[in-house]
Amino acid sequence: MASLGRFARRLWRDQKALALIEFAYSLPILTMLGMGGVEIANLSITHMRVSQLALSLADNSSRAKQEIVAGVPHMREYDVNEAFKASALQSGGLDVVHNGRLILSSLEVNEQGGQWIHWQRCFGDAKYSSSYGKQGDGVTGTSFPGMGPAGKQVKAESGFAIMFAEVVYDYKPLLFASLVPPQAIRKTAAMYVRDDRDLTQIYNPAPAAPVSSC
């Protein structure tokens, strides 16, 4: 018993490997905090990448055209498809084709001076629709307010068109679904058409290109 008592007192005073023991206690907490930081950083980066996809889609489609000799340039179904393909390539590992939806709308002015979604095209496997209207909305009258969040809608001017791009991406967490649950990331961008464009229709000359209808 005396020997056991001396051993216990010696063990109580022994401070060898104290830092290692403290680190072992704190390691699970530090690991959780580190992985949580990685998850939040990945979510932030994905938001930025989806936002850039929307901006790029609006920009590319605002520049696309087919030059016409002694006429106004046309927008074709082929041009829309090429803008979608460019966004798909830009998305890289996000694989927006299978994990998201690209929606491109041409916002114009109708005969009564109101806002009008003349045409709308979609690309991607995810089954999302536009948050701000569908093709044909506002074809007559002036009740359609434009496209965008309430109170912040963009509006086209007579004789011009706005390319309004929406990108919806199904985000899947890397590690902690309880911290950052799966969610749909939605981003929008709008660009005025850069040059003259025939707004009477979206053309599809032979050989006809597939129509990316919604």
Side-chain angles (χ1 to χ4, degrees):
M1 292 297 293
S3 298
L4 183 60
R6 286 194 298 272
F7 174 75
R9 287 192 296 271
R10 191 164 61 251
L11 182 62
W12 177 261
R13 291 192 298 268
D14 194 348
Q15 297 184 3
K16 294 178 181 178
L18 180 61
L20 183 61
I21 294 172
E22 291 176 344
F23 178 71
Y25 279 123
S26 61
L27 182 60
I29 299 174
L30 293 175
T31 301
M32 293 291 289
L33 289 174
M35 290 183 175
V38 169
E39 189 68 73
I40 293 173
N42 184 64
L43 177 63
S44 299
I45 291 171
T46 303
H47 270 275
M48 181 185 68
R49 292 179 67 184
V50 174
S51 178
Q52 289 298 312
L53 279 177
L55 185 62
S56 177
L57 177 58
D59 188 26
N60 289 337
S61 59
S62 71
R63 299 172 187 271
K65 61 184 178 181
Q66 179 191 30
E67 295 288 356
I68 302 297
V69 178
V72 181
H74 293 173
M75 182 68 167
R76 301 167 297 171
E77 298 289 354
Y78 174 82
D79 300 316
V80 174
N81 293 340
E82 288 299 295
F84 283 146
K85 289 177 183 177
S87 294
L89 290 173
Q90 183 184 347
S91 72
L94 294 181
D95 192 10
V96 72
V97 177
H98 298 104
N99 299 318
R101 186 79 158 168
L102 307 175
I103 305 168
L104 181 65
S105 307
S106 181
L107 182 64
E108 303 172 23
V109 176
N110 64 24
E111 293 181 355
Q112 290 77 43
Q115 298 298 301
W116 169 38
I117 301 178
H118 187 178
W119 54 262
Q120 187 174 84
R121 299 292 183 267
C122 297
F123 183 78
D125 293 341
K127 303 303 181 183
Y128 293 105
S129 57
S130 171
S131 299
Y132 305 111
K134 62 182 184 300
Q135 178 174 310
D137 284 354
V139 64
T140 58
T142 58
S143 60
F144 186 64
M147 299 189 74
K152 299 180 181 179
Q153 293 94 342
V154 295
K155 299 177 185 292
E157 296 181 7
S158 181
F160 297 91
I162 291 176
M163 295 290 99
F164 192 91
E166 300 170 70
V167 179
V168 190
Y169 177 72
D170 285 330
Y171 178 80
K172 298 178 180 61
L174 293 174
L175 302 167
F176 296 117
S178 57
L179 177 64
V180 180
Q183 57 192 272
I185 297 176
R186 290 178 174 265
K187 300 295 180 180
T188 61
M191 290 278 185
Y192 260 108
V193 172
R194 295 289 203 276
D195 204 347
D196 290 338
R197 178 181 290 177
D198 184 339
L199 300 180
T200 57
Q201 61 176 299
I202 182 168
Y203 289 83
N204 198 6
V211 178
S212 301
S213 59
C214 297

